[in-house]
Amino acid sequence: MGDEEKVIIVEGRSDKEQIRKIIDEEVTIICTNGTLGIERLEQLLYDYDLDHKQVYIMVDEDSAGHKLRKQLARELPHAQHIYVDRTYREVAATPAPELATALLSRSIMVHPFFLV
């Protein structure tokens, strides 16, 4: 999957802002704003050409996040999953060093500053 464009799918704007601060490469971050209807999901697949990109799913560790992860995994079987520690529950509430380590584990470049 070499130089394919990377896309991270998150739930909310605060998740997006938190990740944006940490990553150190060009990555498109898509907010779903919660669960997706079929039409909206199809539109995202089409608009972002997700079948031909390196896709990462990073959602909250709660029931809404699990539901969204399942839905996205069905539509994007090639997507890689990035998990946050269950104790923090939310991507936005996860400490930056934890997020940086999780992102780096999927070969997403992060600012070294966050790797404490």
Side-chain angles (χ1 to χ4, degrees), residues 40-51:
R40 172 126 163 73
L41 182 54
E42 291 295 324
Q43 195 64 49
L44 284 177
L45 291 170
Y46 179 77
D47 289 349
Y48 292 95
D49 192 24
L50 295 179
D51 288 327

Side-chain angles (χ1 to χ4, degrees), residues 7-114:
V7 176
I8 300 174
I9 300 175
V10 298
E11 285 177 87
R13 185 170 301 283
S14 54
D15 302 335
K16 180 177 181 172
E17 289 166 7
Q18 181 78 334
I19 292 168
R20 172 85 49 228
K21 284 189 302 198
I22 295 169
I23 56 177
D24 191 23
E25 68 174 293
E26 270 305 308
V27 176
T28 302
I29 302 175
I30 301 171
C31 284
T32 65
N33 299 311
T35 50
L36 295 167
I38 298 298
E39 292 81 20
R40 172 126 163 73
L41 182 54
E42 291 295 324
Q43 195 64 49
L44 284 177
L45 291 170
Y46 179 77
D47 289 349
Y48 292 95
D49 192 24
L50 295 179
D51 288 327
H52 302 100
K53 303 234 168 98
Q54 216 168 332
V55 179
Y56 302 89
I57 299 169
M58 189 172 202
V59 295
D60 295 345
E61 281 297 318
D62 58 14
S63 59
H66 291 192
K67 183 178 173 190
L68 180 59
R69 186 182 294 280
K70 267 192 195 138
Q71 183 184 19
L72 290 168
R74 269 195 310 269
E75 294 296 325
L76 297 163
H78 70 287
Q80 293 186 50
H81 297 267
I82 304 174
Y83 295 92
V84 296
D85 192 307
R86 201 172 272 125
T87 53
Y88 304 116
R89 288 181 55 92
E90 300 174 355
V91 172
T94 302
E98 294 266 342
L99 286 177
T101 302
L103 291 161
L104 198 57
S105 76
R106 293 291 186 228
S107 302
I108 296 170
M109 299 306 297
V110 298
H111 294 287
F113 170 81
F114 292 105

